[in-house]
Amino acid sequence: MSFIFKIVSFFGSNSGLYVLAGALISLVLAWVGWLFYALDEARLANELLKRDLNTTLEANVKFEADLKALEQRKTQELQALASVSKANEKLNERVVYVQKILYKNKDSNLTELFNAVLECLWGEDANTSCQAK
């Protein structure tokens, strides 16, 4: 018990109050120093995040440009495929037409018949001559 009385009497005197005030001031200064350290760390982390964000945004812009180029290339390829498909359909129609004419005609000279059909289908005036025959 005497130890507790000594502590109480120490803080009860003026010198004890000075020591207590000094300790409190030291704690407050340490806390303020820690606060400034934490703020500086947060600022550094924020700068790193900003740098990473800028790098990511630059990469995103580059990827968007590449994506636009790829989309344009894809569109051109699809248009080319569509035109090839249309040409193939026309060719198939012509082949079927030739087959029908060859099977229906009883002419013995197939070479003349074939040349006439070719002229009809691929000649300069293919649209008008085929309709007339």
Side-chain angles (χ1 to χ4, degrees):
M1 261 329 209
S2 66
F3 178 71
I4 293 175
F5 287 122
K6 286 182 181 179
I7 292 175
V8 170
S9 67
F10 176 74
F11 286 117
S13 67
N14 284 339
S15 63
L17 288 176
Y18 292 133
V19 170
L20 182 61
L24 286 175
I25 290 172
S26 296
L27 284 175
V28 168
L29 289 176
W31 180 75
V32 168
W34 175 83
L35 184 64
F36 279 115
Y37 174 76
L39 288 174
D40 191 45
E41 287 292 318
R43 182 186 56 80
L44 288 175
N46 189 18
E47 287 177 2
L48 288 175
L49 287 174
K50 281 183 181 179
R51 188 184 69 207
D52 291 346
L53 180 63
N54 288 335
T55 304
T56 305
L57 288 175
E58 289 172 3
N60 190 25
V61 167
K62 180 183 174 191
F63 289 143
E64 283 179 353
D66 292 344
L67 182 62
K68 282 184 181 181
L70 286 174
E71 286 177 353
Q72 186 177 15
R73 182 177 173 189
K74 179 184 172 186
T75 304
Q76 291 172 349
E77 288 175 354
L78 288 175
Q79 289 172 349
L81 283 174
S83 70
V84 167
S85 177
K86 286 180 184 178
N88 191 20
E89 287 176 11
K90 282 185 177 182
L91 182 63
N92 284 339
E93 288 174 5
R94 289 177 177 179
V95 167
V96 168
Y97 179 74
V98 168
Q99 286 175 343
K100 285 180 183 178
I101 290 178
L102 289 177
Y103 287 127
K104 287 182 182 179
N105 198 334
K106 303 290 183 194
D107 196 7
S108 61
N109 192 353
L110 290 178
T111 305
E112 289 179 11
L113 179 63
F114 187 72
N115 287 337
V117 170
L118 286 179
E119 181 63 32
C120 175
L121 290 176
W122 283 283
E124 292 178 8
D125 54 346
N127 293 335
T128 59
S129 64
C130 287
Q131 300 299 330
K133 294 182 182 180

CSV table of all heavy atoms in Angstrom, one decimal, residues 79-109:
chain,number,residue,atom,x,y,z
A,79,GLN,N,-17.2,-8.1,-95.9
A,79,GLN,CA,-17.7,-7.6,-97.2
A,79,GLN,C,-17.1,-8.4,-98.4
A,79,GLN,O,-17.8,-8.7,-99.3
A,79,GLN,CB,-17.3,-6.1,-97.4
A,79,GLN,CG,-18.1,-5.2,-96.4
A,79,GLN,CD,-17.6,-3.8,-96.5
A,79,GLN,OE1,-16.6,-3.5,-97.0
A,79,GLN,NE2,-18.4,-2.9,-95.9
A,80,ALA,N,-15.8,-8.8,-98.3
A,80,ALA,CA,-15.2,-9.6,-99.3
A,80,ALA,C,-15.8,-11.0,-99.4
A,80,ALA,O,-16.1,-11.5,-100.5
A,80,ALA,CB,-13.7,-9.7,-99.1
A,81,LEU,N,-16.1,-11.5,-98.2
A,81,LEU,CA,-16.7,-12.9,-98.2
A,81,LEU,C,-18.1,-12.8,-98.8
A,81,LEU,O,-18.6,-13.7,-99.5
A,81,LEU,CB,-16.8,-13.4,-96.8
A,81,LEU,CG,-15.5,-14.0,-96.2
A,81,LEU,CD1,-15.7,-14.3,-94.8
A,81,LEU,CD2,-15.1,-15.2,-97.0
A,82,ALA,N,-18.8,-11.7,-98.5
A,82,ALA,CA,-20.2,-11.6,-99.1
A,82,ALA,C,-20.1,-11.4,-100.6
A,82,ALA,O,-21.0,-12.0,-101.3
A,82,ALA,CB,-20.9,-10.3,-98.4
A,83,SER,N,-19.2,-10.7,-101.1
A,83,SER,CA,-19.1,-10.5,-102.6
A,83,SER,C,-18.7,-11.9,-103.2
A,83,SER,O,-19.2,-12.2,-104.3
A,83,SER,CB,-18.1,-9.4,-102.9
A,83,SER,OG,-16.8,-9.8,-102.6
A,84,VAL,N,-17.8,-12.6,-102.6
A,84,VAL,CA,-17.4,-13.9,-103.1
A,84,VAL,C,-18.6,-14.9,-103.1
A,84,VAL,O,-18.8,-15.6,-104.0
A,84,VAL,CB,-16.2,-14.5,-102.3
A,84,VAL,CG1,-16.0,-15.9,-102.6
A,84,VAL,CG2,-15.0,-13.7,-102.6
A,85,SER,N,-19.4,-14.8,-102.0
A,85,SER,CA,-20.5,-15.6,-101.9
A,85,SER,C,-21.6,-15.3,-103.0
A,85,SER,O,-22.1,-16.2,-103.6
A,85,SER,CB,-21.2,-15.5,-100.5
A,85,SER,OG,-22.3,-16.2,-100.4
A,86,LYS,N,-21.8,-14.0,-103.3
A,86,LYS,CA,-22.7,-13.6,-104.3
A,86,LYS,C,-22.2,-14.1,-105.7
A,86,LYS,O,-23.0,-14.7,-106.5
A,86,LYS,CB,-22.9,-12.1,-104.4
A,86,LYS,CG,-23.7,-11.6,-103.2
A,86,LYS,CD,-23.9,-10.1,-103.3
A,86,LYS,CE,-24.6,-9.6,-102.2
A,86,LYS,NZ,-24.7,-8.1,-102.2
A,87,ALA,N,-20.9,-14.0,-105.9
A,87,ALA,CA,-20.3,-14.5,-107.2
A,87,ALA,C,-20.5,-16.0,-107.3
A,87,ALA,O,-20.8,-16.5,-108.4
A,87,ALA,CB,-18.8,-14.1,-107.3
A,88,ASN,N,-20.3,-16.7,-106.2
A,88,ASN,CA,-20.4,-18.1,-106.2
A,88,ASN,C,-21.9,-18.5,-106.5
A,88,ASN,O,-22.1,-19.5,-107.2
A,88,ASN,CB,-20.0,-18.7,-104.9
A,88,ASN,CG,-19.8,-20.2,-104.9
A,88,ASN,OD1,-19.7,-20.8,-105.9
A,88,ASN,ND2,-19.9,-20.8,-103.7
A,89,GLU,N,-22.8,-17.8,-105.9
A,89,GLU,CA,-24.2,-18.1,-106.2
A,89,GLU,C,-24.5,-17.9,-107.7
A,89,GLU,O,-25.2,-18.7,-108.3
A,89,GLU,CB,-25.1,-17.2,-105.3
A,89,GLU,CG,-25.1,-17.6,-103.9
A,89,GLU,CD,-26.0,-16.6,-103.0
A,89,GLU,OE1,-26.7,-15.7,-103.6
A,89,GLU,OE2,-25.9,-16.7,-101.8
A,90,LYS,N,-24.0,-16.8,-108.2
A,90,LYS,CA,-24.2,-16.5,-109.7
A,90,LYS,C,-23.7,-17.7,-110.5
A,90,LYS,O,-24.3,-18.1,-111.5
A,90,LYS,CB,-23.6,-15.2,-110.1
A,90,LYS,CG,-24.4,-14.0,-109.7
A,90,LYS,CD,-23.7,-12.8,-110.3
A,90,LYS,CE,-24.6,-11.5,-110.0
A,90,LYS,NZ,-23.9,-10.3,-110.6
A,91,LEU,N,-22.5,-18.1,-110.2
A,91,LEU,CA,-21.8,-19.2,-110.9
A,91,LEU,C,-22.6,-20.5,-110.8
A,91,LEU,O,-22.8,-21.2,-111.8
A,91,LEU,CB,-20.4,-19.4,-110.4
A,91,LEU,CG,-19.6,-20.4,-111.1
A,91,LEU,CD1,-19.4,-20.1,-112.6
A,91,LEU,CD2,-18.3,-20.7,-110.4
A,92,ASN,N,-23.1,-20.8,-109.6
A,92,ASN,CA,-23.9,-22.0,-109.4
A,92,ASN,C,-25.2,-21.9,-110.3
A,92,ASN,O,-25.6,-22.9,-110.8
A,92,ASN,CB,-24.3,-22.2,-108.0
A,92,ASN,CG,-23.1,-22.7,-107.2
A,92,ASN,OD1,-22.2,-23.3,-107.8
A,92,ASN,ND2,-23.1,-22.5,-105.9
A,93,GLU,N,-25.8,-20.7,-110.3
A,93,GLU,CA,-27.0,-20.5,-111.1
A,93,GLU,C,-26.7,-20.8,-112.6
A,93,GLU,O,-27.5,-21.4,-113.3
A,93,GLU,CB,-27.6,-19.1,-110.9
A,93,GLU,CG,-28.2,-18.9,-109.6
A,93,GLU,CD,-28.7,-17.4,-109.4
A,93,GLU,OE1,-28.5,-16.6,-110.4
A,93,GLU,OE2,-29.1,-17.1,-108.3
A,94,ARG,N,-25.6,-20.3,-113.1
A,94,ARG,CA,-25.2,-20.5,-114.5
A,94,ARG,C,-24.9,-21.9,-114.8
A,94,ARG,O,-25.3,-22.5,-115.8
A,94,ARG,CB,-24.0,-19.6,-114.8
A,94,ARG,CG,-24.3,-18.1,-114.8
A,94,ARG,CD,-23.1,-17.3,-115.1
A,94,ARG,NE,-23.4,-15.9,-115.2
A,94,ARG,CZ,-22.6,-14.9,-115.4
A,94,ARG,NH1,-21.3,-15.2,-115.5
A,94,ARG,NH2,-23.0,-13.7,-115.5
A,95,VAL,N,-24.3,-22.6,-113.8
A,95,VAL,CA,-24.0,-24.0,-114.0
A,95,VAL,C,-25.3,-24.8,-114.1
A,95,VAL,O,-25.4,-25.7,-115.0
A,95,VAL,CB,-23.0,-24.6,-112.9
A,95,VAL,CG1,-23.0,-26.1,-112.9
A,95,VAL,CG2,-21.6,-24.0,-113.1
A,96,VAL,N,-26.2,-24.5,-113.2
A,96,VAL,CA,-27.5,-25.2,-113.2
A,96,VAL,C,-28.2,-24.9,-114.6
A,96,VAL,O,-28.8,-25.8,-115.2
A,96,VAL,CB,-28.3,-24.8,-112.0
A,96,VAL,CG1,-29.8,-25.3,-112.2
A,96,VAL,CG2,-27.7,-25.4,-110.7
A,97,TYR,N,-28.1,-23.7,-115.0
A,97,TYR,CA,-28.8,-23.3,-116.3
A,97,TYR,C,-28.2,-24.1,-117.5
A,97,TYR,O,-28.9,-24.7,-118.3
A,97,TYR,CB,-28.6,-21.8,-116.5
A,97,TYR,CG,-29.2,-21.3,-117.8
A,97,TYR,CD1,-30.6,-21.2,-117.9
A,97,TYR,CD2,-28.4,-21.0,-118.9
A,97,TYR,CE1,-31.1,-20.7,-119.1
A,97,TYR,CE2,-28.9,-20.5,-120.0
A,97,TYR,CZ,-30.3,-20.4,-120.2
A,97,TYR,OH,-30.8,-19.9,-121.3
A,98,VAL,N,-26.8,-24.2,-117.5
A,98,VAL,CA,-26.1,-25.0,-118.5
A,98,VAL,C,-26.6,-26.5,-118.5
A,98,VAL,O,-26.8,-27.1,-119.5
A,98,VAL,CB,-24.6,-24.8,-118.4
A,98,VAL,CG1,-23.9,-25.8,-119.3
A,98,VAL,CG2,-24.2,-23.4,-118.7
A,99,GLN,N,-26.6,-27.0,-117.2
A,99,GLN,CA,-27.0,-28.4,-117.1
A,99,GLN,C,-28.4,-28.6,-117.6
A,99,GLN,O,-28.7,-29.6,-118.3
A,99,GLN,CB,-26.9,-28.8,-115.6
A,99,GLN,CG,-25.5,-29.0,-115.2
A,99,GLN,CD,-25.5,-29.4,-113.7
A,99,GLN,OE1,-26.5,-29.1,-112.9
A,99,GLN,NE2,-24.4,-29.9,-113.2
A,100,LYS,N,-29.3,-27.7,-117.3
A,100,LYS,CA,-30.7,-27.9,-117.8
A,100,LYS,C,-30.8,-27.8,-119.3
A,100,LYS,O,-31.5,-28.6,-120.0
A,100,LYS,CB,-31.6,-26.8,-117.2
A,100,LYS,CG,-32.0,-27.0,-115.8
A,100,LYS,CD,-32.8,-25.8,-115.3
A,100,LYS,CE,-33.1,-26.0,-113.8
A,100,LYS,NZ,-34.0,-24.9,-113.3
A,101,ILE,N,-30.0,-26.9,-119.9
A,101,ILE,CA,-30.1,-26.8,-121.4
A,101,ILE,C,-29.5,-28.0,-122.0
A,101,ILE,O,-30.0,-28.5,-123.0
A,101,ILE,CB,-29.3,-25.5,-121.8
A,101,ILE,CG1,-30.2,-24.3,-121.5
A,101,ILE,CG2,-29.1,-25.5,-123.3
A,101,ILE,CD1,-29.5,-23.0,-121.8
A,102,LEU,N,-28.4,-28.5,-121.5
A,102,LEU,CA,-27.7,-29.7,-122.1
A,102,LEU,C,-28.6,-30.9,-122.0
A,102,LEU,O,-28.7,-31.7,-122.9
A,102,LEU,CB,-26.4,-29.9,-121.4
A,102,LEU,CG,-25.3,-28.9,-121.7
A,102,LEU,CD1,-24.0,-29.3,-120.9
A,102,LEU,CD2,-25.0,-28.9,-123.2
A,103,TYR,N,-29.3,-31.1,-120.9
A,103,TYR,CA,-30.2,-32.2,-120.7
A,103,TYR,C,-31.4,-32.1,-121.5
A,103,TYR,O,-31.9,-33.1,-122.0
A,103,TYR,CB,-30.5,-32.4,-119.2
A,103,TYR,CG,-29.4,-33.0,-118.4
A,103,TYR,CD1,-29.0,-32.3,-117.2
A,103,TYR,CD2,-28.7,-34.1,-118.8
A,103,TYR,CE1,-28.0,-32.8,-116.5
A,103,TYR,CE2,-27.6,-34.6,-118.0
A,103,TYR,CZ,-27.3,-33.9,-116.9
A,103,TYR,OH,-26.2,-34.4,-116.1
A,104,LYS,N,-31.9,-30.9,-121.7
A,104,LYS,CA,-33.2,-30.8,-122.5
A,104,LYS,C,-33.0,-30.8,-124.0
A,104,LYS,O,-33.8,-31.3,-124.7
A,104,LYS,CB,-33.8,-29.4,-122.2
A,104,LYS,CG,-34.5,-29.4,-120.8
A,104,LYS,CD,-35.1,-28.0,-120.6
A,104,LYS,CE,-35.7,-28.0,-119.2
A,104,LYS,NZ,-36.3,-26.7,-118.9
A,105,ASN,N,-31.8,-30.4,-124.5
A,105,ASN,CA,-31.5,-30.4,-125.9
A,105,ASN,C,-31.2,-31.7,-126.4
A,105,ASN,O,-30.4,-32.4,-125.9
A,105,ASN,CB,-30.4,-29.4,-126.2
A,105,ASN,CG,-30.4,-29.0,-127.6
A,105,ASN,OD1,-30.8,-29.7,-128.5
A,105,ASN,ND2,-29.9,-27.8,-127.9
A,106,LYS,N,-31.7,-32.1,-127.6
A,106,LYS,CA,-31.5,-33.4,-128.2
A,106,LYS,C,-30.5,-33.3,-129.3
A,106,LYS,O,-30.3,-34.2,-130.1
A,106,LYS,CB,-32.8,-34.0,-128.7
A,106,LYS,CG,-33.9,-34.1,-127.7
A,106,LYS,CD,-33.5,-35.2,-126.7
A,106,LYS,CE,-34.7,-35.4,-125.7
A,106,LYS,NZ,-34.3,-36.1,-124.6
A,107,ASP,N,-29.8,-32.1,-129.4
A,107,ASP,CA,-28.9,-31.8,-130.5
A,107,ASP,C,-27.7,-32.7,-130.4
A,107,ASP,O,-27.2,-33.0,-129.3
A,107,ASP,CB,-28.5,-30.4,-130.5
A,107,ASP,CG,-27.9,-29.9,-131.8
A,107,ASP,OD1,-27.9,-30.7,-132.8
A,107,ASP,OD2,-27.4,-28.8,-131.9
A,108,SER,N,-27.2,-33.2,-131.5
A,108,SER,CA,-26.1,-34.1,-131.5
A,108,SER,C,-24.7,-33.4,-131.4
A,108,SER,O,-23.8,-34.0,-130.9
A,108,SER,CB,-26.1,-35.0,-132.7
A,108,SER,OG,-26.0,-34.2,-133.9
A,109,ASN,N,-24.7,-32.1,-131.8
A,109,ASN,CA,-23.5,-31.4,-131.8
A,109,ASN,C,-23.4,-30.6,-130.4
A,109,ASN,O,-23.8,-29.5,-130.3
A,109,ASN,CB,-23.4,-30.4,-132.9
A,109,ASN,CG,-22.0,-29.9,-133.1
A,109,ASN,OD1,-21.1,-30.1,-132.3
A,109,ASN,ND2,-21.8,-29.2,-134.2
